Amino acid sequence: MTHSINDILRRLIIGMAILASTAAVSAQTPDGALSQAEAHLAAFRRMAAAGEPDGAAYGELRQAYAGYAEAFRNESPGTPAHAAAKTALKEIFPMLRRGAYFYAQANDQAMVLRYAADYVDLSLLPGMGDERLQETPGYPVLANLAATNIFNRGDYQNAILYFQAYLSSGDTQNRELAFEGLSRSYYELRNYENAAYIATQGAAAYPQNWNMLVIGIESCGKTGADAKMEPLLASALKLQPGHKGLMEYQGKMFERMKRYGEAADVFSKLYAASRASTSPVTTRSTATTLRSHSAAPIQPTPRRHRCSSAPYRCLRIYSTTHPTPSTWLMRSPSATA
């Protein structure tokens, strides 16, 4: 009798384990993710129908977004499941923006940024490009918000994606700082070719932007792109004529390009300036950077944000004077459009 009871218990435990395992596997499959997402979206709709959505409702929305995004990535294009996921994501997209606004009113900075990032991430899903979601009113606000804050955290790889998303919107209000943040992100990741390219493009559009000129000059120096560096140096010297660090860099560049007459002219001016100021000027190796020039270190021009003392390190965009995410979002009429 005891053996019979133990056998029954053993079978019950095995059966429960099999059921639990089956449920877990089902949840991990695309169909399981889709069904769970449908349940979360249905819950959000019920809560929204009963009144203004609250934190619990938006929690359901985020889970629905996660499930539909997973199904959309995993299902083959053209299948009913893939089409259903895409339809649901298009419905969820404006709700994520409203979620960001909801948390802005609650002054919950972390949740504002989380919803802003989800909002942009949805638009960047492979297969959503044909929906042109970047052209939606309010998109530039959240894309730039996500980009600048992720940049300030030092997550330059992801900041690149969000700066690119902002620039793709066609908005011009924060375009200059987006170019600057994008070029600096590439620089911090030591992708100097892309940093130089973006900085050159940005400097052409905003020739008074000292920071982009410096990023471009440094990046060209890292890659040995003297031909690309030359116009950047010329533009920077127009902003700060007689800058000793720039002039020394220019003279060395002319030497590398075997334009010795122009190099001699630059070094003659440097020598004359050193005699006038009693500050000695010493020539350095080709590897000398503007950062190491002790006589006159280059400093970014003070503008809409405070820079660190080292001009090439992690510019914290909006670090002091820009409104916090919540107040900035609440000031934007397009944020709830």
Side-chain angles (χ1 to χ4, degrees), residues 21-36:
S21 176
T22 302
V25 170
S26 176
Q28 292 172 1
T29 63
D31 289 340
L34 194 60
S35 62
Q36 288 189 13

Side-chain angles (χ1 to χ4, degrees), residues 84-97:
K86 185 171 186 177
T87 298
L89 287 169
K90 288 163 63 178
E91 177 185 348
I92 290 170
F93 182 66
M95 302 302 175
L96 290 172
R97 183 175 68 247

